[in-house]
Amino acid sequence: MNWRDRGLCLREDPDLFFPIGTINSAQVAIQTDEAKAVCRHCPVTEQCLAWAVDAGPIEGIWGGTTEGERRAMRRREVCRPAETESAA
Ligand code: SF4
């Protein structure tokens, strides 16, 4: 079984996870919080977040994060100093 088949979002309105500009910023924030609340209880949050970070820029709430939050995670990953080879 694929991790996607176990996501709690399958039981929700898919639009909840894609807050967009047709609504005002306060409504986007509320919708984002509601989607994140679902993700917090999801059994596959780690897999979902890892997939979304690896996938690159994608819209929507995945693994309890917004694309902006994932972009920051990717930047931190790129900026992280390489493991020292002398550590072995
Ligand atoms: S973490 Fe959120 S977006 Fe990912 S599968 Fe679970 S409910 Fe869906």
Side-chain angles (χ1 to χ4, degrees), residues 20-83:
I20 54 172
T22 55
I23 53 180
N24 68 44
S25 60
Q27 290 172 312
V28 168
I30 291 169
Q31 189 176 333
T32 297
D33 287 347
E34 288 178 7
K36 286 181 172 184
V38 174
C39 294
R40 272 196 295 278
H41 298 285
C42 181
V44 293
T45 305
E46 281 185 32
Q47 295 97 318
C48 182
L49 178 56
W51 175 84
V53 170
D54 286 348
I58 51 170
E59 292 303 316
I61 308 299
W62 295 90
T65 63
T66 64
E67 173 49 27
E69 292 164 339
R70 293 189 298 274
R71 189 179 319 119
M73 294 170 78
R74 285 186 209 101
R75 268 199 303 264
R76 283 194 297 272
E77 191 73 25
V78 168
C79 294
R80 183 187 303 163
E83 296 288 328

Short mmCIF file of all heavy atoms in Angstrom, two decimals, residues 20-83:
data_model
loop_
_atom_site.label_atom_id
_atom_site.label_comp_id
_atom_site.label_asym_id
_atom_site.label_seq_id
_atom_site.Cartn_x
_atom_site.Cartn_y
_atom_site.Cartn_z
N ILE A 20 -6.03 29.24 -2.00
CA ILE A 20 -5.52 30.09 -3.08
C ILE A 20 -6.13 31.47 -3.01
O ILE A 20 -7.03 31.74 -2.21
CB ILE A 20 -5.78 29.47 -4.47
CG1 ILE A 20 -7.25 29.16 -4.64
CG2 ILE A 20 -4.91 28.26 -4.70
CD1 ILE A 20 -7.63 28.72 -6.04
N GLY A 21 -5.64 32.30 -3.87
CA GLY A 21 -5.95 33.72 -3.83
C GLY A 21 -7.35 34.14 -4.19
O GLY A 21 -7.62 35.33 -4.25
N THR A 22 -8.24 33.21 -4.46
CA THR A 22 -9.61 33.62 -4.74
C THR A 22 -10.32 34.03 -3.46
O THR A 22 -11.40 34.58 -3.49
CB THR A 22 -10.41 32.49 -5.42
OG1 THR A 22 -10.34 31.32 -4.59
CG2 THR A 22 -9.85 32.19 -6.79
N ILE A 23 -9.68 33.74 -2.32
CA ILE A 23 -10.21 34.17 -1.04
C ILE A 23 -9.21 35.13 -0.43
O ILE A 23 -8.07 35.20 -0.86
CB ILE A 23 -10.50 32.97 -0.11
CG1 ILE A 23 -9.25 32.08 0.04
CG2 ILE A 23 -11.65 32.16 -0.62
CD1 ILE A 23 -9.46 30.89 0.95
N ASN A 24 -9.61 35.89 0.59
CA ASN A 24 -8.69 36.88 1.14
C ASN A 24 -7.64 36.22 2.04
O ASN A 24 -7.75 35.05 2.40
CB ASN A 24 -9.44 38.00 1.86
CG ASN A 24 -10.14 37.52 3.10
OD1 ASN A 24 -9.57 36.76 3.89
ND2 ASN A 24 -11.38 37.94 3.29
N SER A 25 -6.63 36.99 2.42
CA SER A 25 -5.49 36.42 3.14
C SER A 25 -5.89 35.85 4.50
O SER A 25 -5.31 34.86 4.95
CB SER A 25 -4.38 37.45 3.29
OG SER A 25 -4.85 38.57 4.00
N ALA A 26 -6.87 36.45 5.16
CA ALA A 26 -7.32 35.91 6.45
C ALA A 26 -7.95 34.54 6.25
O ALA A 26 -7.72 33.61 7.03
CB ALA A 26 -8.31 36.87 7.10
N GLN A 27 -8.72 34.41 5.18
CA GLN A 27 -9.35 33.12 4.90
C GLN A 27 -8.30 32.07 4.49
O GLN A 27 -8.42 30.90 4.83
CB GLN A 27 -10.40 33.27 3.80
CG GLN A 27 -11.62 34.03 4.26
CD GLN A 27 -12.57 34.33 3.11
OE1 GLN A 27 -12.14 34.80 2.06
NE2 GLN A 27 -13.85 34.08 3.32
N VAL A 28 -7.28 32.52 3.76
CA VAL A 28 -6.18 31.60 3.39
C VAL A 28 -5.51 31.08 4.66
O VAL A 28 -5.24 29.89 4.79
CB VAL A 28 -5.16 32.30 2.48
CG1 VAL A 28 -3.89 31.46 2.35
CG2 VAL A 28 -5.75 32.57 1.11
N ALA A 29 -5.28 31.99 5.63
CA ALA A 29 -4.62 31.59 6.88
C ALA A 29 -5.48 30.59 7.65
O ALA A 29 -4.97 29.59 8.18
CB ALA A 29 -4.33 32.82 7.73
N ILE A 30 -6.77 30.84 7.70
CA ILE A 30 -7.67 29.92 8.41
C ILE A 30 -7.70 28.57 7.73
O ILE A 30 -7.60 27.52 8.37
CB ILE A 30 -9.10 30.53 8.49
CG1 ILE A 30 -9.09 31.73 9.42
CG2 ILE A 30 -10.10 29.48 8.94
CD1 ILE A 30 -10.37 32.56 9.36
N GLN A 31 -7.81 28.58 6.41
CA GLN A 31 -7.85 27.32 5.66
C GLN A 31 -6.54 26.56 5.82
O GLN A 31 -6.53 25.34 5.96
CB GLN A 31 -8.14 27.61 4.19
CG GLN A 31 -8.41 26.35 3.39
CD GLN A 31 -8.79 26.64 1.95
OE1 GLN A 31 -9.33 27.71 1.65
NE2 GLN A 31 -8.52 25.71 1.07
N THR A 32 -5.43 27.30 5.79
CA THR A 32 -4.12 26.67 5.96
C THR A 32 -4.03 26.00 7.33
O THR A 32 -3.56 24.86 7.45
CB THR A 32 -3.00 27.72 5.81
OG1 THR A 32 -3.05 28.24 4.48
CG2 THR A 32 -1.62 27.13 6.07
N ASP A 33 -4.48 26.69 8.37
CA ASP A 33 -4.46 26.12 9.72
C ASP A 33 -5.33 24.87 9.81
O ASP A 33 -4.96 23.89 10.47
CB ASP A 33 -4.92 27.15 10.75
CG ASP A 33 -3.88 28.23 11.00
OD1 ASP A 33 -2.72 28.06 10.56
OD2 ASP A 33 -4.24 29.26 11.61
N GLU A 34 -6.47 24.91 9.15
CA GLU A 34 -7.37 23.74 9.17
C GLU A 34 -6.71 22.55 8.47
O GLU A 34 -6.79 21.42 8.95
CB GLU A 34 -8.70 24.08 8.50
CG GLU A 34 -9.56 25.01 9.33
CD GLU A 34 -10.86 25.38 8.63
OE1 GLU A 34 -11.17 24.82 7.55
OE2 GLU A 34 -11.57 26.25 9.16
N ALA A 35 -6.06 22.80 7.35
CA ALA A 35 -5.39 21.72 6.63
C ALA A 35 -4.24 21.16 7.47
O ALA A 35 -4.06 19.95 7.58
CB ALA A 35 -4.88 22.21 5.29
N LYS A 36 -3.47 22.06 8.08
CA LYS A 36 -2.35 21.61 8.92
C LYS A 36 -2.84 20.79 10.10
O LYS A 36 -2.16 19.85 10.53
CB LYS A 36 -1.54 22.82 9.42
CG LYS A 36 -0.68 23.45 8.35
CD LYS A 36 0.10 24.61 8.95
CE LYS A 36 1.13 25.17 7.99
NZ LYS A 36 1.93 26.22 8.62
N ALA A 37 -4.01 21.13 10.63
CA ALA A 37 -4.56 20.38 11.75
C ALA A 37 -4.85 18.94 11.33
O ALA A 37 -4.64 18.00 12.11
CB ALA A 37 -5.83 21.05 12.27
N VAL A 38 -5.31 18.76 10.11
CA VAL A 38 -5.55 17.40 9.60
C VAL A 38 -4.21 16.67 9.50
O VAL A 38 -4.06 15.53 9.95
CB VAL A 38 -6.25 17.43 8.23
CG1 VAL A 38 -6.35 16.03 7.64
CG2 VAL A 38 -7.63 18.07 8.35
N CYS A 39 -3.21 17.34 8.94
CA CYS A 39 -1.89 16.72 8.76
C CYS A 39 -1.27 16.32 10.10
O CYS A 39 -0.58 15.30 10.17
CB CYS A 39 -0.94 17.69 8.04
SG CYS A 39 -1.40 18.06 6.34
N ARG A 40 -1.52 17.10 11.14
CA ARG A 40 -0.93 16.78 12.45
C ARG A 40 -1.36 15.42 12.95
O ARG A 40 -0.66 14.78 13.72
CB ARG A 40 -1.30 17.85 13.47
CG ARG A 40 -0.32 19.01 13.50
CD ARG A 40 -0.48 19.85 14.75
NE ARG A 40 -1.77 20.52 14.83
CZ ARG A 40 -2.04 21.67 14.21
NH1 ARG A 40 -1.12 22.28 13.49
NH2 ARG A 40 -3.23 22.22 14.31
N HIS A 41 -2.54 14.96 12.55
CA HIS A 41 -3.05 13.67 13.01
C HIS A 41 -2.88 12.57 11.97
O HIS A 41 -3.31 11.44 12.18
CB HIS A 41 -4.53 13.81 13.38
CG HIS A 41 -4.77 14.78 14.49
ND1 HIS A 41 -4.47 14.48 15.80
CD2 HIS A 41 -5.22 16.05 14.48
CE1 HIS A 41 -4.75 15.53 16.56
NE2 HIS A 41 -5.19 16.50 15.78
N CYS A 42 -2.24 12.89 10.89
CA CYS A 42 -2.10 11.94 9.78
C CYS A 42 -0.98 10.94 10.08
O CYS A 42 0.09 11.33 10.56
CB CYS A 42 -1.79 12.71 8.49
SG CYS A 42 -1.61 11.64 7.06
N PRO A 43 -1.18 9.66 9.79
CA PRO A 43 -0.15 8.66 10.08
C PRO A 43 1.03 8.68 9.09
O PRO A 43 2.02 7.98 9.32
CB PRO A 43 -0.91 7.33 9.98
CG PRO A 43 -2.02 7.61 9.03
CD PRO A 43 -2.41 9.06 9.27
N VAL A 44 0.93 9.44 8.02
CA VAL A 44 2.00 9.43 7.02
C VAL A 44 2.60 10.82 6.80
O VAL A 44 3.13 11.12 5.73
CB VAL A 44 1.52 8.83 5.68
CG1 VAL A 44 1.22 7.35 5.83
CG2 VAL A 44 0.31 9.57 5.13
N THR A 45 2.56 11.64 7.83
CA THR A 45 3.06 13.00 7.70
C THR A 45 4.52 13.04 7.27
O THR A 45 4.91 13.82 6.40
CB THR A 45 2.88 13.78 9.02
OG1 THR A 45 1.51 13.72 9.40
CG2 THR A 45 3.29 15.23 8.87
N GLU A 46 5.35 12.20 7.88
CA GLU A 46 6.78 12.21 7.54
C GLU A 46 7.02 11.85 6.08
O GLU A 46 7.79 12.51 5.39
CB GLU A 46 7.56 11.23 8.43
CG GLU A 46 7.84 11.77 9.81
CD GLU A 46 8.71 10.83 10.63
OE1 GLU A 46 9.55 10.13 10.04
OE2 GLU A 46 8.52 10.80 11.85
N GLN A 47 6.37 10.81 5.61
CA GLN A 47 6.53 10.41 4.22
C GLN A 47 6.03 11.49 3.28
O GLN A 47 6.66 11.79 2.25
CB GLN A 47 5.78 9.10 3.93
CG GLN A 47 6.32 7.91 4.68
CD GLN A 47 5.52 7.63 5.95
OE1 GLN A 47 5.16 8.54 6.69
NE2 GLN A 47 5.29 6.36 6.22
N CYS A 48 4.92 12.07 3.63
CA CYS A 48 4.33 13.11 2.79
C CYS A 48 5.24 14.34 2.72
O CYS A 48 5.48 14.88 1.64
CB CYS A 48 2.96 13.49 3.37
SG CYS A 48 2.07 14.72 2.42
N LEU A 49 5.75 14.74 3.86
CA LEU A 49 6.64 15.91 3.88
C LEU A 49 7.92 15.62 3.10
O LEU A 49 8.38 16.46 2.31
CB LEU A 49 6.97 16.29 5.32
CG LEU A 49 7.93 17.48 5.48
CD1 LEU A 49 7.41 18.72 4.77
CD2 LEU A 49 8.18 17.76 6.96
N ALA A 50 8.50 14.45 3.28
CA ALA A 50 9.73 14.11 2.56
C ALA A 50 9.48 14.13 1.06
O ALA A 50 10.29 14.64 0.28
CB ALA A 50 10.23 12.73 3.00
N TRP A 51 8.33 13.60 0.65
CA TRP A 51 8.00 13.59 -0.78
C TRP A 51 7.86 15.03 -1.30
O TRP A 51 8.41 15.37 -2.35
CB TRP A 51 6.70 12.83 -1.02
CG TRP A 51 6.27 12.92 -2.45
CD1 TRP A 51 6.70 12.15 -3.48
CD2 TRP A 51 5.39 13.91 -3.00
NE1 TRP A 51 6.12 12.59 -4.65
CE2 TRP A 51 5.32 13.65 -4.39
CE3 TRP A 51 4.65 14.96 -2.46
CZ2 TRP A 51 4.54 14.43 -5.24
CZ3 TRP A 51 3.88 15.74 -3.32
CH2 TRP A 51 3.82 15.46 -4.68
N ALA A 52 7.16 15.85 -0.55
CA ALA A 52 6.91 17.23 -1.00
C ALA A 52 8.19 18.04 -1.06
O ALA A 52 8.38 18.85 -1.97
CB ALA A 52 5.89 17.90 -0.08
N VAL A 53 9.08 17.84 -0.11
CA VAL A 53 10.36 18.56 -0.14
C VAL A 53 11.17 18.12 -1.36
O VAL A 53 11.73 18.94 -2.08
CB VAL A 53 11.15 18.34 1.17
CG1 VAL A 53 12.57 18.88 1.04
CG2 VAL A 53 10.43 19.02 2.34
N ASP A 54 11.21 16.81 -1.61
CA ASP A 54 11.97 16.29 -2.75
C ASP A 54 11.33 16.69 -4.08
O ASP A 54 12.04 16.83 -5.08
CB ASP A 54 12.06 14.77 -2.69
CG ASP A 54 13.03 14.30 -1.63
OD1 ASP A 54 13.79 15.14 -1.10
OD2 ASP A 54 13.02 13.10 -1.31
N ALA A 55 10.03 16.83 -4.10
CA ALA A 55 9.32 17.10 -5.35
C ALA A 55 9.64 18.48 -5.91
O ALA A 55 9.45 18.74 -7.08
CB ALA A 55 7.81 16.96 -5.14
N GLY A 56 10.11 19.37 -5.05
CA GLY A 56 10.37 20.73 -5.52
C GLY A 56 9.13 21.57 -5.35
O GLY A 56 8.20 21.17 -4.65
N PRO A 57 9.10 22.73 -5.98
CA PRO A 57 7.98 23.64 -5.77
C PRO A 57 6.65 23.03 -6.20
O PRO A 57 6.45 22.73 -7.38
CB PRO A 57 8.33 24.85 -6.64
CG PRO A 57 9.79 24.75 -6.88
CD PRO A 57 10.12 23.29 -6.86
N ILE A 58 5.79 22.83 -5.25
CA ILE A 58 4.42 22.39 -5.53
C ILE A 58 3.50 23.15 -4.60
O ILE A 58 3.83 23.43 -3.46
CB ILE A 58 4.22 20.87 -5.34
CG1 ILE A 58 4.74 20.41 -3.97
CG2 ILE A 58 4.85 20.07 -6.45
CD1 ILE A 58 4.35 18.99 -3.64
N GLU A 59 2.36 23.51 -5.12
CA GLU A 59 1.40 24.25 -4.32
C GLU A 59 0.71 23.35 -3.32
O GLU A 59 0.68 22.12 -3.48
CB GLU A 59 0.36 24.91 -5.23
CG GLU A 59 0.93 26.01 -6.10
CD GLU A 59 1.61 27.11 -5.28
OE1 GLU A 59 1.04 27.52 -4.25
OE2 GLU A 59 2.70 27.54 -5.66
N GLY A 60 0.17 23.95 -2.31
CA GLY A 60 -0.67 23.23 -1.38
C GLY A 60 0.01 22.86 -0.08
O GLY A 60 1.20 23.04 0.09
N ILE A 61 -0.81 22.35 0.82
CA ILE A 61 -0.34 21.88 2.11
C ILE A 61 -0.02 20.40 1.97
O ILE A 61 -0.86 19.59 1.62
CB ILE A 61 -1.43 22.07 3.20
CG1 ILE A 61 -1.96 23.50 3.22
CG2 ILE A 61 -0.89 21.64 4.56
CD1 ILE A 61 -0.93 24.55 3.52
N TRP A 62 1.23 20.08 2.24
CA TRP A 62 1.69 18.69 2.20
C TRP A 62 2.53 18.44 3.45
O TRP A 62 3.40 19.26 3.78
CB TRP A 62 2.57 18.43 0.97
CG TRP A 62 1.88 18.57 -0.34
CD1 TRP A 62 1.75 19.71 -1.09
CD2 TRP A 62 1.21 17.54 -1.07
NE1 TRP A 62 1.06 19.45 -2.24
CE2 TRP A 62 0.71 18.13 -2.25
CE3 TRP A 62 0.99 16.18 -0.86
CZ2 TRP A 62 0.00 17.40 -3.20
CZ3 TRP A 62 0.28 15.45 -1.80
CH2 TRP A 62 -0.20 16.06 -2.96
N GLY A 63 2.27 17.35 4.12
CA GLY A 63 3.05 17.04 5.31
C GLY A 63 2.98 18.13 6.36
O GLY A 63 3.92 18.33 7.13
N GLY A 64 1.90 18.84 6.40
CA GLY A 64 1.71 19.89 7.41
C GLY A 64 2.48 21.16 7.15
O GLY A 64 2.68 21.96 8.06
N THR A 65 2.91 21.36 5.91
CA THR A 65 3.67 22.57 5.59
C THR A 65 3.12 23.24 4.34
O THR A 65 2.54 22.60 3.47
CB THR A 65 5.16 22.24 5.32
OG1 THR A 65 5.23 21.38 4.17
CG2 THR A 65 5.82 21.58 6.51
N THR A 66 3.38 24.53 4.26
CA THR A 66 3.08 25.29 3.05
C THR A 66 4.29 25.21 2.11
O THR A 66 5.39 24.82 2.54
CB THR A 66 2.83 26.77 3.37
OG1 THR A 66 4.05 27.32 3.90
CG2 THR A 66 1.70 26.93 4.37
N GLU A 67 4.10 25.62 0.86
CA GLU A 67 5.24 25.63 -0.06
C GLU A 67 6.32 26.58 0.44
O GLU A 67 7.51 26.31 0.32
CB GLU A 67 4.81 25.99 -1.48
CG GLU A 67 5.95 26.18 -2.47
CD GLU A 67 6.96 25.04 -2.47
OE1 GLU A 67 6.62 23.89 -2.14
OE2 GLU A 67 8.15 25.31 -2.78
N GLY A 68 5.94 27.70 1.03
CA GLY A 68 6.93 28.63 1.57
C GLY A 68 7.77 27.99 2.66
O GLY A 68 8.98 28.20 2.73
N GLU A 69 7.14 27.22 3.51
CA GLU A 69 7.88 26.53 4.58
C GLU A 69 8.80 25.46 4.01
O GLU A 69 9.93 25.28 4.48
CB GLU A 69 6.89 25.93 5.58
CG GLU A 69 6.15 27.00 6.37
CD GLU A 69 4.91 26.50 7.09
OE1 GLU A 69 4.36 25.43 6.71
OE2 GLU A 69 4.47 27.19 8.02
N ARG A 70 8.33 24.77 2.99
CA ARG A 70 9.19 23.74 2.37
C ARG A 70 10.36 24.38 1.63
O ARG A 70 11.47 23.84 1.62
CB ARG A 70 8.36 22.85 1.43
CG ARG A 70 7.34 22.00 2.16
CD ARG A 70 6.69 21.00 1.25
NE ARG A 70 5.94 21.58 0.16
CZ ARG A 70 4.66 21.96 0.25
NH1 ARG A 70 3.98 21.81 1.37
NH2 ARG A 70 4.04 22.47 -0.80
N ARG A 71 10.10 25.54 1.01
CA ARG A 71 11.18 26.24 0.33
C ARG A 71 12.28 26.60 1.33
O ARG A 71 13.47 26.42 1.05
CB ARG A 71 10.64 27.50 -0.35
CG ARG A 71 11.64 28.19 -1.26
CD ARG A 71 11.05 29.43 -1.94
NE ARG A 71 9.70 29.23 -2.39
CZ ARG A 71 8.64 29.94 -1.97
NH1 ARG A 71 8.79 30.91 -1.11
NH2 ARG A 71 7.45 29.70 -2.43
N ALA A 72 11.87 27.06 2.51
CA ALA A 72 12.85 27.38 3.56
C ALA A 72 13.61 26.13 3.98
O ALA A 72 14.82 26.17 4.22
CB ALA A 72 12.14 28.03 4.74
N MET A 73 12.92 25.01 4.05
CA MET A 73 13.59 23.75 4.42
C MET A 73 14.62 23.36 3.36
O MET A 73 15.71 22.90 3.69
CB MET A 73 12.55 22.62 4.58
CG MET A 73 11.61 22.83 5.74
SD MET A 73 10.25 21.67 5.74
CE MET A 73 11.06 20.24 6.39
N ARG A 74 14.26 23.54 2.09
CA ARG A 74 15.21 23.20 1.01
C ARG A 74 16.43 24.10 1.08
O ARG A 74 17.55 23.65 0.89
CB ARG A 74 14.53 23.35 -0.36
CG ARG A 74 13.56 22.27 -0.68
CD ARG A 74 13.03 22.39 -2.12
NE ARG A 74 11.70 21.83 -2.17
CZ ARG A 74 10.57 22.53 -2.15
NH1 ARG A 74 10.59 23.83 -2.16
NH2 ARG A 74 9.42 21.91 -2.15
N ARG A 75 16.19 25.39 1.35
CA ARG A 75 17.33 26.33 1.45
C ARG A 75 18.25 25.92 2.58
O ARG A 75 19.47 25.95 2.43
CB ARG A 75 16.81 27.75 1.67
CG ARG A 75 16.60 28.51 0.39
CD ARG A 75 16.55 30.00 0.64
NE ARG A 75 15.52 30.36 1.59
CZ ARG A 75 14.29 30.77 1.27
NH1 ARG A 75 13.95 30.86 0.01
NH2 ARG A 75 13.41 31.07 2.17
N ARG A 76 17.67 25.56 3.73
CA ARG A 76 18.51 25.14 4.87
C ARG A 76 19.31 23.89 4.50
O ARG A 76 20.46 23.75 4.87
CB ARG A 76 17.65 24.86 6.10
CG ARG A 76 17.19 26.13 6.80
CD ARG A 76 16.65 25.83 8.17
NE ARG A 76 15.47 24.99 8.17
CZ ARG A 76 14.21 25.43 8.07
NH1 ARG A 76 13.98 26.70 7.98
NH2 ARG A 76 13.19 24.59 8.08
N GLU A 77 18.66 22.99 3.75
CA GLU A 77 19.33 21.75 3.33
C GLU A 77 20.52 22.07 2.43
O GLU A 77 21.60 21.51 2.58
CB GLU A 77 18.34 20.84 2.60
CG GLU A 77 18.83 19.45 2.36
CD GLU A 77 18.86 18.62 3.62
OE1 GLU A 77 18.11 18.90 4.56
OE2 GLU A 77 19.67 17.68 3.67
N VAL A 78 20.33 23.00 1.49
CA VAL A 78 21.39 23.37 0.56
C VAL A 78 22.52 24.09 1.28
O VAL A 78 23.70 23.89 0.98
CB VAL A 78 20.83 24.28 -0.57
CG1 VAL A 78 21.94 24.92 -1.37
CG2 VAL A 78 19.91 23.48 -1.47
N CYS A 79 22.16 24.89 2.27
CA CYS A 79 23.16 25.70 2.97
C CYS A 79 23.89 24.93 4.07
O CYS A 79 24.87 25.42 4.60
CB CYS A 79 22.51 26.93 3.60
SG CYS A 79 21.87 28.06 2.36
N ARG A 80 23.37 23.73 4.40
CA ARG A 80 24.00 22.97 5.47
C ARG A 80 25.41 22.58 5.07
O ARG A 80 25.62 22.07 3.97
CB ARG A 80 23.19 21.71 5.77
CG ARG A 80 23.75 20.93 6.94
CD ARG A 80 23.06 19.62 7.13
NE ARG A 80 21.63 19.79 7.33
CZ ARG A 80 20.75 18.81 7.22
NH1 ARG A 80 21.13 17.60 6.90
NH2 ARG A 80 19.49 19.02 7.42
N PRO A 81 26.39 22.79 5.94
CA PRO A 81 27.76 22.40 5.60
C PRO A 81 27.84 20.90 5.34
O PRO A 81 27.17 20.12 6.00
CB PRO A 81 28.57 22.77 6.86
CG PRO A 81 27.69 23.64 7.66
CD PRO A 81 26.28 23.38 7.26
N ALA A 82 28.63 20.55 4.37
CA ALA A 82 28.80 19.14 4.04
C ALA A 82 29.42 18.39 5.21
O ALA A 82 30.19 18.95 5.99
CB ALA A 82 29.69 19.01 2.81
N GLU A 83 29.03 17.13 5.34
CA GLU A 83 29.62 16.29 6.38
C GLU A 83 31.12 16.22 6.12
O GLU A 83 31.56 16.09 5.00
CB GLU A 83 29.03 14.89 6.32
CG GLU A 83 27.56 14.83 6.59
CD GLU A 83 27.21 15.08 8.06
OE1 GLU A 83 28.04 14.72 8.92
OE2 GLU A 83 26.16 15.65 8.33
#
